[in-house]
Amino acid sequence: MESHVGSALQKHALLWFIIAAAQCVSAQGCGSHYRYAIEEFCLAGFREGMQELDPSQWCSWEDTAELYEGLTNCTYLCAEKMSCYWPNRIVDEFFIQVHRHYFHDCSMSGRRLRDPPNRILGPFIVVPILVTLLMTALVVWRSKRSEGIV
């Protein structure tokens, strides 16, 4: 009885191993062809669109969202046509390269870091200076008027 149960467990484990191996082979089997397809078809269009933008606009999500969405959709469609899983290791590495090249200076929020406009920054500079001068004047005035202090 135990050998029958052990044999069934071995067959079950073997079946799972074959299924997992088949999935890995199909995901990795399109490696070089898939990589070539996304670099030639998808990246070429994205690169062209990014070159039309000024590099100072690369970190602006409003300016790059449509290009980035097109790149993402293109990698998905290539994977679907080539019977590859998506996302996969190849597409992850591809997007890491894209980010290293085009978005390496961008903040995590996707917005370019810059100083606020002067109408906002001005009060944050002027108010503490005026408070400091007022408090200094008050201390000097109060120290010269010592007759009322007991």
Side-chain angles (χ1 to χ4, degrees):
M1 178 79 171
E2 280 184 37
S3 66
H4 181 48
V5 172
S7 175
L9 286 175
Q10 286 177 344
K11 288 180 184 178
H12 187 67
L14 182 61
L15 177 65
W16 279 108
F17 177 77
I18 291 171
I19 290 171
Q23 287 179 348
C24 289
V25 167
S26 68
Q28 299 301 324
C30 61
S32 62
H33 295 103
Y34 178 64
R35 185 181 307 270
Y36 176 79
I38 62 177
E39 286 177 0
E40 288 299 314
F41 300 115
C42 304
L43 186 59
F46 180 77
R47 187 179 295 137
E48 186 177 308
M50 291 297 281
Q51 286 175 350
E52 290 176 8
L53 292 175
D54 186 62
S56 66
Q57 294 175 304
W58 287 1
C59 291
S60 171
W61 182 245
E62 293 82 21
D63 296 327
T64 58
E66 189 175 329
L67 293 170
Y68 195 83
E69 182 180 1
L71 179 65
T72 304
N73 290 339
C74 183
T75 61
Y76 174 75
L77 291 173
C78 284
E80 189 175 81
K81 293 287 184 193
M82 299 177 84
S83 300
C84 298
Y85 289 100
W86 191 93
N88 56 43
R89 181 182 52 82
I90 295 167
V91 80
D92 288 343
E93 291 170 358
F94 172 76
F95 274 102
I96 288 171
Q97 289 175 350
V98 167
H99 279 256
R100 282 185 182 153
H101 185 270
Y102 291 101
F103 306 114
H104 64 278
D105 284 335
C106 302
S107 67
M108 294 298 282
S109 68
R111 296 188 182 117
R112 263 192 4 218
L113 298 176
R114 59 180 180 260
D115 288 338
N118 287 338
R119 61 184 167 76
I120 294 174
L121 191 59
F124 284 103
I125 294 171
V126 171
V127 169
I129 292 171
L130 291 177
V131 168
T132 302
L133 292 174
L134 180 66
M135 292 304 292
T136 304
L138 185 64
V139 167
V140 169
W141 177 72
R142 194 70 174 141
S143 65
K144 289 191 177 198
R145 208 178 137 213
S146 59
E147 62 192 42
I149 302 175
V150 181

